[in-house]
Amino acid sequence: MYDNWENLEKSIIGCKKCKLCNNRTNIVFGYGNKNADVMFIGEGPGADEDIQGVPFVGKAGKLMDMAFEGLGINRSEVYIANIVKCRPPQNRVPEQDEADSCLNYLRNQVILVKPKIIVLLGSTALKNILGRELSITACRGKWIEKKGIHYMPTWHPAALLRDENKKIEFWRDLKQVVEKV
Ligand code: URA
């Protein structure tokens, strides 16, 4: 674990801990306010993120930004990261060994940001952070407190692109976050 961003960011350069390194263009480390009260954790970079090296800049990210705008959140006020930092081929779900290899980087980011609230975007984030037995359908919209951090599991923004009905739930979940900060 590193006690400063510079060393943590340096340690990740050229990472070869898992096979996702073979096809990546960029490591997508994280984006936003390194002292944020609210942190968002997604699954892993897609094609746009891989090219730009920034999380949630593709279609799903645009939708998330629209929700942010409606709720008065600016993406530069929060901190955004993913379970894995390199793009899984064809945007498949990260395999367990890939997530496990990458999680210590994310844990270190959480320690440095010290967020009050972590929004878990979708099943992969929920399972890897709070427990493999948990289901996003059962947990979404409900606060879970662990070691002083309040977690809000919600839909992954890509799920909203496939199912319009999830948009209102996503909005309500983020509204709870805004009201709690
Ligand atoms: N989906 C994710 O989970 N993370 C991103 O950064 C982009 C899309």
Side-chain angles (χ1 to χ4, degrees), residues 74-149:
N74 189 308
R75 71 150 57 205
S76 62
E77 293 166 4
V78 298
Y79 192 79
I80 308 173
N82 281 305
I83 294 295
V84 292
K85 295 186 167 16
C86 299
R87 184 191 180 195
Q90 281 83 46
N91 300 341
R92 63 159 169 71
V93 174
E95 290 170 2
Q96 200 52 52
D97 64 307
E98 297 161 353
D100 289 345
S101 313
C102 215
L103 269 170
N104 270 344
Y105 294 130
L106 183 61
R107 288 192 186 104
N108 206 151
Q109 285 170 295
V110 172
I111 287 169
L112 293 176
V113 174
K114 296 190 231 53
K116 290 187 199 150
I117 294 171
I118 295 183
V119 180
L120 299 170
L121 299 165
S123 173
T124 302
L126 174 68
K127 287 179 183 290
N128 281 288
I129 302 292
L130 292 181
R132 302 224 61 83
E133 72 286 1
L134 299 177
S135 120
I136 191 68
T137 312
C139 293
R140 76 133 276 283
K142 298 178 191 146
W143 289 108
I144 299 173
E145 206 218 308
K146 205 172 160 188
K147 294 186 187 163
I149 298 179

Side-chain angles (χ1 to χ4, degrees), residues 28 41-50 54-61 64 75 80-84 91 94 121-122 124-125 156-158:
V28 180
I41 300 179
E43 179 174 295
D48 297 299
E49 291 78 16
D50 175 63
V54 181
F56 285 103
V57 289
K59 253 190 180 173
M64 193 164 83
R75 71 150 57 205
I80 308 173
N82 281 305
I83 294 295
V84 292
N91 300 341
L121 299 165
T124 302
H156 188 285

